[in-house]
Amino acid sequence: MASAPPTYNDPSSRKTFTIGTRSSKLALFQTNLVVSALRDTWPDYSFKIHSKETAGDLNTTIAFREFTTKNLWTEELEELLTAGHVDFIVHSLKDVPTVLPASCTLGPMMKREDSRDVLVMKKGLPNGGLSDLPAGSVVGTSSIRRTAQLARLYPHLKVMDVRGNIGTRLAKLDAEDSPYSCIILAAAGLLRLDLGDRISQYLDSKNGGMLYAVGQGALGIEIRKDDQVAHGMLKNIGHEETTLATLAERSLLRTLEGGCSAPLGVETEWIQGSDGSRQIKMRAIVVSVDGKESAEVEIDESISSPEQAENFGITVAKALVEQGAGAILEAIQQNKKSS
């Protein structure tokens, strides 16, 4: 006779919660941020961490755009979540596919770290910006989004793949025989690991012209969809503006059906509308891999609920398509199929 399924909605039956994560230094640091917030809010509960390597960790030689799956960092952990072996999974939100397994969902999100990309120069080279680099300088990144935006704005620079965790990438950059003049990373990871002194330039729409990845700087905390206890716990540590902004960004990407490898850059900020309402402004761009074609929009709208955030993402996606984003993404998909 089969045993009864676990009861996820009865808090009296649960005093210990297990949090799943990748085993990298950054992933563990980020998970400890979540554990600390949960312990502070729920001191009567116990939290333990279960870490493991995922497909993306085990293969660090293939460029991201060459993978055929979008759940490089999440699949093995989601299997543990669905089976009831862990109660939460902590991800870098930018690594989480916009379509989750039917039994899983994202809970409210904690306050976002700096969402921008940054330039990191090789040790021994002078600090500066992308526009200061001489022609032929090699920029390290495996992101198709960054590659496309670099080709559009800085065609005199060369791009070369670089994979691995932050420490590995910095070591590859600084090696004596390194071909790289610099690499581009997310600010959040460097700041969380106390490596902010390596940042040479913060990149955004006003400085360097680069827009960041959907969800960048935020932590995605995945739970079982029917686990109301876990959802309630996260609601107490969640940050509304981060949650709404990232839901809108993910809705935009999901609508474009580009997935994690799409050359889509975003930038969101909260502003006060002319009527005094709280509004979110989103800039978004889709760029062809060679940088020669692009579609760009900037839209703001009042948002106060997850449903409004999802709808706003759809609005921005439709505006991008009207500007030609659909044709750019279609060409990229065709090139992938023929290669």
Side-chain angles (χ1 to χ4, degrees):
M1 181 176 176
S3 59
T7 302
Y8 295 129
N9 298 326
D10 178 10
S12 65
S13 68
R14 306 168 70 190
K15 293 297 182 183
T16 299
F17 296 83
T18 302
I19 303 178
T21 183
R22 293 164 55 203
S23 53
S24 73
K25 183 178 180 180
L26 178 59
L28 289 169
F29 181 88
Q30 292 176 162
T31 302
N32 276 305
L33 291 176
V34 176
V35 170
S36 294
L38 287 170
R39 282 178 177 154
D40 288 345
T41 310
W42 306 94
D44 294 334
Y45 293 160
S46 297
F47 301 93
K48 58 183 181 179
I49 295 173
H50 175 83
S51 64
K52 70 173 299 176
E53 291 185 315
T54 63
D57 297 305
L58 295 172
N59 190 328
T60 60
T61 57
I62 299 177
F64 294 133
R65 59 182 172 274
E66 303 299 329
F67 284 97
T68 56
T69 180
K70 296 174 185 175
N71 55 354
L72 291 174
W73 316 106
T74 60
E75 184 175 14
E76 293 92 340
L77 292 168
E78 285 168 342
E79 289 171 355
L80 294 176
L81 180 65
T82 301
H85 298 309
V86 301
D87 302 291
F88 306 88
I89 315 172
V90 178
H91 311 283
S92 292
L93 185 59
K94 66 184 179 66
D95 295 333
V96 181
T98 55
V99 178
L100 301 178
S103 60
C104 302
T105 189
L106 287 171
M109 295 157 205
M110 293 168 56
K111 188 173 182 179
R112 194 175 203 170
E113 180 54 273
D114 194 310
S115 54
R116 293 173 289 180
D117 278 342
V118 293
L119 186 70
V120 177
M121 298 299 298
K122 182 177 181 175
K123 281 187 175 179
L125 293 181
N127 279 346
L130 283 168
S131 59
D132 301 319
L133 292 168
S137 297
V138 176
V139 184
T141 180
S142 283
S143 160
I144 189 174
R145 168 187 57 84
R146 292 170 179 153
T147 298
Q149 292 189 71
L150 285 168
R152 173 176 176 259
L153 297 168
Y154 306 97
H156 64 291
L157 302 178
K158 293 175 61 177
V159 175
M160 185 178 295
D161 284 331
V162 60
R163 286 282 315 279
N165 60 38
I166 289 176
T168 299
R169 294 190 200 195
L170 291 176
K172 289 179 178 180
L173 169 66
D174 294 333
E176 188 174 341
D177 60 349
S178 164
Y180 309 104
S181 298
C182 58
I183 58 176
I184 297 179
L185 297 171
L190 290 168
L191 295 173
R192 285 173 177 144
L193 295 179
D194 198 26
L195 292 168
D197 61 321
R198 291 302 308 266
I199 296 172
S200 176
Q201 180 187 27
Y202 283 88
L203 303 170
D204 56 31
S205 60
K206 301 178 182 67
N207 187 24
M210 305 273 289
L211 304 191
Y212 53 79
V214 163
Q216 189 159 295
L219 301 180
I221 309 175
E222 198 170 352
I223 58 176
R224 288 176 290 270
K225 191 174 289 185
D226 63 349
D227 192 343
Q228 296 303 314
V229 172
H231 189 277
M233 294 170 75
L234 294 180
K235 190 173 182 181
N236 278 271
I237 66 171
H239 183 255
E240 185 182 34
E241 289 191 349
T242 295
T243 300
L244 294 179
T246 53
L247 285 175
E249 292 173 13
R250 286 173 59 79
S251 175
L252 161 61
L253 181 56
R254 187 185 306 114
T255 304
L256 290 178
E257 296 183 342
C260 293
S261 62
L264 168 69
V266 297
E267 187 176 84
T268 54
E269 62 178 313
W270 289 92
I271 61 174
Q272 183 171 317
S274 57
D275 59 355
S277 65
R278 184 181 61 164
Q279 297 186 343
I280 189 168
K281 176 181 286 187
M282 182 183 290
R283 303 174 187 90
I285 189 169
V286 171
V287 186
S288 62
V289 180
D290 62 8
K292 294 180 179 178
E293 297 179 71
S294 63
E296 189 171 8
V297 298
E298 181 177 309
I299 302 175
D300 51 83
E301 190 168 302
S302 297
I303 290 177
S304 58
S305 71
E307 294 75 22
Q308 290 176 340
E310 294 275 349
N311 289 333
F312 180 55
I314 294 171
T315 297
V316 177
K318 289 179 177 177
L320 273 173
V321 170
E322 289 176 1
Q323 295 297 317
I328 295 170
L329 293 171
E330 177 68 23
I332 290 172
Q333 293 301 322
Q334 290 300 321
N335 287 337
K336 279 186 178 180
K337 291 175 183 177
S338 61
S339 60

